[in-house]
Amino acid sequence: MTAISLTVNGKVVSGNVEDRTLLVHFLRDHLNLTGTHVGCDTSQCGACVVHVDGRAVKSCTTLVGQVDGASVTTIEGLSQGDQLHPMQAAFRDNHGLQCGYCTPGMIMSAVDIVQRHGGKLDEATVRHELEGNICRCTGYHNIVKSVLDAAGRMSTAQAAE
Amino acid sequence: MGVEGIGASVLRKEDRRFTTGKGRYVDDIKLQGMTHAHFVRSPHGHAKVKGIDSSAALKMPGVVAVLTGQQIVDDKVGNLICGWAVHSKDGTPMKMGAWPAMAPEVVRFVGQAVAVVIAETKNQARDAAEAVQVDYEELPAVTNVKAAIAAGAPQLHPEAPNNIVYDWELGDQAATNDAFAKAANVVKMDLVNNRLAPNAMEPRAALAQYDEAEEHFTLYTTSQNPHVARLVLSAFYNIAPEHKLRVIAPDVGGGFGSKIFIYPEEMVALWASKKVNRPVKWTGDRTEAFLTDAHGRDHVSHAEMAFDKDNKILGLRVKTLANFGAYMSLFSSSVPTYLYATLLSGQYNIPAIYAEVMGVYTNTSPVDAYRGAGRPEASYLIERMMETSARQLKVDPAELRRKNFVTVFPHQTPVIMAYDIGDFNASLDAALKSVDYAGFPARKAKAKAEGKLRGIGFSCYIEACGIAPSKAVGSLGAGVGLWESAEIRVNPVGTIEVLTGSHSHGQGHETTFCQLVAERLGVPVSQVSVVHGDTDKVQFGMGTYGSRSLAVGGSAIVKALEKVEAKAKKIAAHQLEASESDIVIENGEFKVTGTDKSIALPMVALAAYTAHNLPDGMEPGLKESAFYDPSNFTFPAGTYICEIEVDPGTGKTEFVNFVAADDFGRLINPMIVEGQVHGGLTQGIGQALLEGAVYDGNGQLITASFMDYAMPRADDVPSYKLQHTTTLCPGNPLGVKGCGEAGAIGASAAVINAITDAIGNNSLEMPATPDRVWHAIRAGA
């Protein structure tokens, strides 16, 4: 067992966990943050993506011990109260989701993509960057639209700040 | 239409919870005292189970129990059933071997469960499962259909000699032979429809709870049809009578057919929850999904088409071997028969058709319905045949199709189906225009100058949806009726609940069904909610598959709404002291036509529940239910045209354009409809270019993870151009046809037709990987 302490969605959390505990299981089973999903065993599908110190990370291939002391943001921590994050709003407005299972990981990856590329995103770049996230429902058409829409909204919001 | 009524692209009500991580899927649910199950699964494709030693596992930390196949047999839990009886040509019923939930004696596919470990934590259950010692005696295995029916092949079930489940036929053999005797040209083809793994992103899961005091079970499960699950678990598996079993399918992360069936894991979780008297949760991992979710497709076919001298089709002969895997899954028998051969007429006038289908056991995962279920296999065969015929007859592929289109409706095909309505020329024209077909030769020439091979491919699909008229399917062997139910509850404050037997696992019912209420009663969708997926709340229902939810489930909602409206108008007329026939509904108000007198729906509802002043003899309350049984299938149809470019140096295919022109009848929420098409097209493209579930000769699935099985990713597929043409379905009150499967049914043929056009070699199997295409280019040169 290992004692760990980290910040999740702005709150400090700590606990004693088995050494083999993955971040995704810590979030889901210990903190009841069930928005982060597991869709595969091979780090391929991206349903488990969260942000660790601001960068998109697959929480199914991260031991919670590796993020001791880090700041983790999950899908539950993305919105500001009732105010959806521009990426969440764009997914809703563009029908970028169907069953919703891949959606949290998709949104967390997409936020990271926009943050890294700023306003320079185009369709080909978004499609290439989404390589690590699998969706079986949408055919990606509306996910790509959502990300491009959100990129515009996020740069507008940034300019306004 | 109103802003939220029929035809409006209302944003989805369910999306706030899904975009904020508040969806509630089975694995998200925790119960007090919950234990975790992990299955011990066969590593062999075919083996005798000679013994199971659980002693070491039982000593591992946290282990509550190790339960085996023999115990489930001893407790008289029923074997898994196949719910559709199909008879062979000679009239004999299909020949099936027993499928126990865990195998006591023989395992017949890799991944089949032989025991289950129940432990305090998921990790403890997994660790202990590795310590269970199973003594197997390996038997020879067979995974390929042709090999399975060959002399001397390993035999799977003593009940099914030569591994043949049935040898079935449809159509008029003599008339078809006559048509071929008169033919000016005959086109022949061999086709393989590759095996697919459905891969809903949420793996299957089950959480079972036994209440000793009430002798009552609750099952949370990843199901597309919780009521059917309860029926089967009660009536056939002896888990509990229906009133002692509640099945809840909460948010479900995609299904595509794979979550229709009742699997061994749900049965074992229920059974085990009583045995250990604690809740038992099982959540599959992705490799378990690959190994044990029912796969789709897997046909090997030979087809022949006869043409007269004017290129009119005279007849079609088809012989198909369908791989069922090691056991007959719940609806498996219907897929390569009544859902496949009945669609072999395509969009065409074909005077004579004769189809033979042999269903075959192999040492592979069971095969059942996967998005489209039989109809993609039919559509692929017909549309590859039409394209190939056009090339051999040296005519334009669009014009060959046009010449043979059915144009007069209703149209009785020689294979059971009676097409009610359609306009196949309209969708072909819309697609041709959108893709700029006239400009294709110039684009091809330009691509050639740049060293690329450009091709264009067509697919004019038709499907039978709105599944299904109960009497018709009953006469064809179905064990259930395929109607749907609905209940509309108007609460005393005027809010409305729609209870439906359909189940949404991505289709957006929580929005679309509210739009039907908004249209009828003028109530904003925010005042309406949809209740589904719980057998304690909704009385009965047949669930969601076969693009049936709106055509059948939505029609049941409309029927119930009619009854609500009729009663509400009576109450309004009484309150307003007017004649019932003068009451009209406008924006949620019941008005006396031609006057300024009106009463809002909440006041009508309140009057219904206070019952202080109702018409004489009227019962209080405002709640109506309806069952709707369709009179016919619905027939969505359309044209897909795909333009691609192949790099001859690498064999890699790139999309230039993908146009889909669909006729789904009336659209309730066009945004959701288009989303369904995008997803279907991508699964069809996945089949054509990327996906294939591959077994080796010993029964090992060599594509059992996302590292080995190529799922379509964002940069594998294009953005799509969608068109809608409309003929209203005459068979249901909404005029709708269903849109959930079309893309998966039509897309794969368009892609392969385009690639074979580009490379000039028609011999190319799915998935058309760069390696295969590269070799086909060289073989064709």
Side-chain angles (χ1 to χ4, degrees):
Chain A
M1 301 292 272
T2 305
I4 49 108
S5 176
L6 60 156
T7 304
V8 177
N9 299 333
K11 285 186 199 147
V12 176
V13 295
S14 51
N16 273 305
V17 297
E18 265 190 287
D19 293 357
R20 60 176 164 175
T21 305
L22 296 167
L23 176 57
V24 67
H25 292 137
F26 181 73
L27 294 170
R28 289 181 56 80
D29 300 340
H30 295 249
L31 304 182
N32 285 320
L33 292 170
T34 55
T36 303
H37 296 151
V38 179
C40 73
D41 339 308
T42 50
S43 204
Q44 292 290 303
C45 82
C48 64
V49 170
V50 299
H51 292 178
V52 176
D53 294 331
R55 292 176 53 198
V57 164
K58 286 183 174 172
S59 64
C60 76
T61 14
T62 307
L63 293 164
V64 67
Q66 289 175 279
V67 296
D68 190 27
S71 176
V72 173
T73 305
T74 71
I75 189 71
E76 290 92 344
L78 199 58
S79 57
Q80 303 286 326
D82 281 349
Q83 184 73 38
L84 293 180
H85 184 279
M87 189 63 72
Q88 293 171 311
F91 267 68
R92 179 171 191 261
D93 293 348
N94 293 284
H95 190 30
L97 65 150
Q98 291 181 26
C99 81
Y101 198 79
C102 77
T103 309
M106 202 61 89
I107 287 174
M108 297 309 283
S109 287
V111 169
D112 181 74
I113 292 168
V114 174
Q115 283 173 349
R116 282 187 289 106
H117 288 270
K120 291 178 203 145
L121 274 176
D122 56 23
E123 179 180 338
T125 308
V126 171
R127 287 186 180 275
H128 178 69
E129 285 275 357
L130 284 175
E131 189 205 36
N133 291 77
I134 301 177
C135 170
R136 194 55 150 169
C137 294
T138 64
Y140 305 100
H141 184 109
N142 285 342
I143 290 178
V144 173
K145 259 173 81 177
S146 302
V147 178
L148 290 171
D149 180 10
R153 296 186 199 201
M154 284 166 71
S155 57
T156 310
Q158 217 167 23
E161 273 169 15
Chain B
M1 79 178 187
V3 288
E4 295 184 327
I6 289 174
S9 286
V10 176
L11 295 182
R12 297 204 322 172
K13 298 181 64 167
E14 41 275 80
D15 287 354
R16 175 165 275 273
R17 72 173 186 274
F18 288 143
T19 56
T20 54
K22 301 291 190 325
R24 193 165 183 250
Y25 302 87
V26 173
D27 191 55
D28 301 341
I29 299 167
K30 291 176 184 169
L31 299 177
Q32 187 70 32
M34 186 169 84
T35 63
H36 297 266
H38 192 89
F39 285 87
V40 179
R41 299 185 181 279
S42 170
H44 303 298
H46 198 187
K48 274 187 191 157
V49 180
K50 296 178 74 180
I52 298 176
D53 181 358
S54 309
S55 54
L58 283 165
K59 289 179 200 146
M60 303 269 290
V63 172
V64 176
V66 179
L67 305 171
T68 66
Q70 192 54 52
Q71 284 169 281
I72 207 164
V73 171
D74 292 345
D75 281 0
K76 300 197 166 30
V77 173
N79 290 324
L80 280 87
I81 61 157
C82 179
W84 196 305
V86 172
H87 289 73
S88 287
K89 292 170 187 169
D90 62 8
T92 55
M94 57 189 186
K95 300 177 174 69
M96 289 200 300
W99 184 10
M102 296 192 289
E105 291 169 350
V106 180
V107 287
R108 296 181 177 86
F109 67 98
V110 169
Q112 187 173 7
V114 294
V116 64
V117 175
I118 314 289
E120 299 292 342
T121 71
K122 221 182 304 187
N123 281 340
Q124 287 170 339
R126 189 181 283 263
D127 291 345
E130 286 181 15
V132 174
Q133 296 293 318
V134 185
D135 183 10
Y136 292 104
E137 179 189 328
E138 273 191 78
L139 299 170
V142 63
T143 56
N144 170 289
V145 278
K146 283 187 176 165
I149 58 172
Q155 299 291 298
L156 269 76
H157 298 278
E159 297 87 347
N162 304 316
N163 299 316
I164 296 168
V165 178
Y166 54 61
D167 182 10
W168 177 86
E169 65 180 346
L170 184 66
D172 187 333
Q173 186 175 23
T176 308
N177 287 343
D178 287 350
F180 276 81
K182 284 186 284 186
N185 287 295
V186 173
V187 177
K188 300 179 182 183
M189 255 188 116
D190 291 308
L191 299 115
V192 174
N193 207 285
N194 44 327
R195 176 185 277 245
L196 303 176
N199 278 322
M201 292 314 296
E202 178 204 24
R204 286 190 296 113
L207 169 56
Q209 182 175 36
Y210 179 64
D211 177 345
E212 206 176 2
E214 301 290 335
E215 298 180 311
H216 181 279
F217 290 88
T218 302
L219 174 68
Y220 299 86
T221 183
T222 49
S223 175
Q224 299 178 213
N225 40 323
H227 290 86
V228 176
R230 185 177 69 158
L231 171 68
V232 173
L233 288 162
S234 288
F236 298 98
Y237 302 158
N238 307 324
I239 298 292
E242 280 175 289
H243 67 300
K244 294 290 186 186
L245 173 59
R246 177 184 187 185
V247 178
I248 300 170
D251 285 328
V252 172
F256 315 111
S258 69
K259 292 172 181 171
I260 296 172
F261 324 115
I262 293 86
Y263 287 90
E265 290 84 0
E266 291 103 272
M267 297 165 64
V268 170
L270 280 164
W271 169 72
S273 72
K274 185 174 177 184
K275 276 214 126 36
V276 303
N277 204 13
R278 287 173 63 181
V280 174
K281 181 192 268 185
W282 169 76
T283 301
D285 61 31
R286 181 55 56 188
T287 292
E288 285 182 296
F290 273 105
L291 292 174
T292 67
D293 289 4
H295 290 175
R297 321 283 191 255
D298 206 343
H299 283 194
V300 176
S301 297
H302 177 76
E304 300 182 354
M305 200 175 246
F307 290 87
D308 72 9
K309 61 179 176 22
D310 297 322
N311 297 331
K312 287 256 196 191
I313 306 167
L314 294 173
L316 173 68
R317 259 197 302 245
V318 176
K319 201 163 189 163
T320 294
L321 294 173
N323 193 341
F324 281 136
Y327 298 97
M328 292 299 286
S329 176
L330 191 63
F331 291 115
S332 57
S333 55
S334 66
V335 175
T337 50
Y338 294 109
L339 293 174
Y340 164 69
T342 54
L343 272 302
L344 284 172
S345 197
Q347 296 190 355
Y348 312 108
N349 271 304
I350 305 182
I353 298 176
Y354 180 63
E356 295 170 281
V357 179
M358 192 176 277
V360 180
Y361 277 129
T362 62
N363 294 108
T364 62
S365 171
V367 177
D368 206 322
Y370 165 64
R371 201 169 194 169
R375 291 153 291 167
E377 296 90 318
S379 182
Y380 182 72
L381 183 141
I382 288 291
E383 289 308 296
R384 287 285 290 126
M385 283 295 287
M386 290 305 283
E387 203 87 3
T388 301
S389 300
R391 289 171 194 166
Q392 290 191 14
L393 300 170
K394 300 194 180 347
V395 292
D396 181 273
E399 291 316 305
L400 181 68
R401 287 174 168 89
R402 200 188 291 283
K403 182 185 277 266
N404 286 285
F405 275 161
V406 172
T407 52
V408 179
F409 297 89
H411 172 80
Q412 178 64 53
T413 72
V415 279
I416 298 177
M417 292 298 174
Y419 301 162
D420 52 3
I421 200 164
D423 187 344
F424 305 147
N425 278 306
S427 46
L428 176 61
D429 288 338
L432 286 171
K433 189 171 171 213
S434 177
V435 81
D436 180 23
Y437 188 49
F440 175 72
R443 297 196 296 275
K444 187 178 172 82
K446 184 164 179 288
K448 194 177 176 189
E450 291 161 0
K452 296 288 176 67
L453 303 173
R454 191 171 278 220
I456 197 162
F458 292 76
S459 175
C460 298
Y461 76 93
I462 188 165
E463 49 172 334
C465 295
I467 293 173
S470 299
K471 199 173 165 183
V473 294
S475 73
L476 300 177
V480 288
L482 290 170
W483 43 264
E484 196 47 84
S485 78
E487 184 177 320
I488 305 293
R489 293 181 186 166
V490 184
N491 296 316
V493 290
T495 58
I496 296 175
E497 285 153 313
V498 179
L499 288 80
T500 170
S502 303
H503 183 273
S504 188
H505 30 279
Q507 296 87 342
H509 296 174
E510 289 169 52
T511 305
T512 303
F513 289 172
C514 293
Q515 291 180 247
L516 301 179
V517 178
E519 178 77 19
R520 192 88 191 191
L521 300 177
V523 179
V525 297
S526 63
Q527 301 293 302
V528 187
S529 61
V530 171
V531 177
H532 66 122
D534 185 340
T535 60
D536 263 16
K537 293 179 179 169
V538 178
Q539 190 228 334
F540 210 92
M542 298 312 297
T544 288
Y545 39 83
S547 308
R548 70 190 301 272
S549 292
L550 189 59
V552 189
S555 295
I557 291 169
V558 169
K559 267 187 83 174
L561 280 169
E562 280 169 10
K563 296 182 192 177
V564 166
E565 182 182 327
K567 183 167 181 181
K569 278 184 170 170
K570 281 195 176 75
I571 296 169
H574 183 74
Q575 297 274 326
L576 297 169
E577 296 176 341
S579 162
E580 195 188 321
S581 58
D582 290 337
I583 303 291
V584 293
I585 303 176
E586 279 174 29
N587 301 322
E589 302 260 317
F590 289 71
K591 290 187 173 164
V592 182
T593 186
T595 74
D596 60 356
K597 289 207 293 184
S598 73
I599 179 171
L601 177 68
M603 298 311 292
V604 174
L606 191 63
Y609 285 95
T610 59
H612 294 163
N613 183 19
L614 291 176
D616 284 346
M618 179 181 275
E619 288 180 17
L622 192 52
K623 178 195 87 151
E624 300 288 348
S625 62
F627 285 73
Y628 175 79
D629 199 358
S631 56
N632 191 2
F633 293 87
T634 63
F635 296 95
T639 293
Y640 297 162
I641 304 179
C642 169
E643 187 170 330
I644 55 91
E645 218 167 70
V646 173
D647 182 334
T650 63
K652 175 112 173 82
T653 299
E654 299 279 352
F655 288 95
V656 179
N657 206 346
F658 200 112
V659 172
D662 296 290
D663 179 355
F664 298 133
R666 182 171 280 121
L667 308 185
I668 307 302
N669 185 320
M671 174 193 82
I672 289 177
V673 169
E674 294 193 349
Q676 291 292 306
V677 177
H678 298 151
L681 291 173
T682 301
Q683 288 183 3
I685 290 172
Q687 173 169 28
L689 291 183
L690 300 160
E691 297 180 45
V694 180
Y695 283 87
D696 72 9
N698 295 319
Q700 296 296 332
L701 181 61
I702 55 179
T703 54
S705 81
F706 287 153
M707 312 275 276
D708 310 295
Y709 183 98
M711 290 280 279
R713 308 207 184 204
D715 61 357
D716 292 316
V717 292
S719 284
Y720 303 105
K721 282 191 198 160
L722 306 192
Q723 308 275 325
H724 300 290
T725 61
T726 306
T727 57
L728 296 180
C729 177
N732 62 60
L734 288 165
V736 299
K737 301 184 183 181
C739 64
E741 297 161 296
I745 289 169
S748 50
V751 175
I752 299 298
N753 285 338
I755 300 175
T756 52
D757 177 52
I759 66 176
N761 179 355
N762 200 41
S763 182
L764 181 68
E765 282 180 9
M766 299 190 291
T769 57
D771 173 63
R772 281 187 174 165
V773 173
W774 189 87
H775 279 102
I777 292 169
R778 267 136 200 88

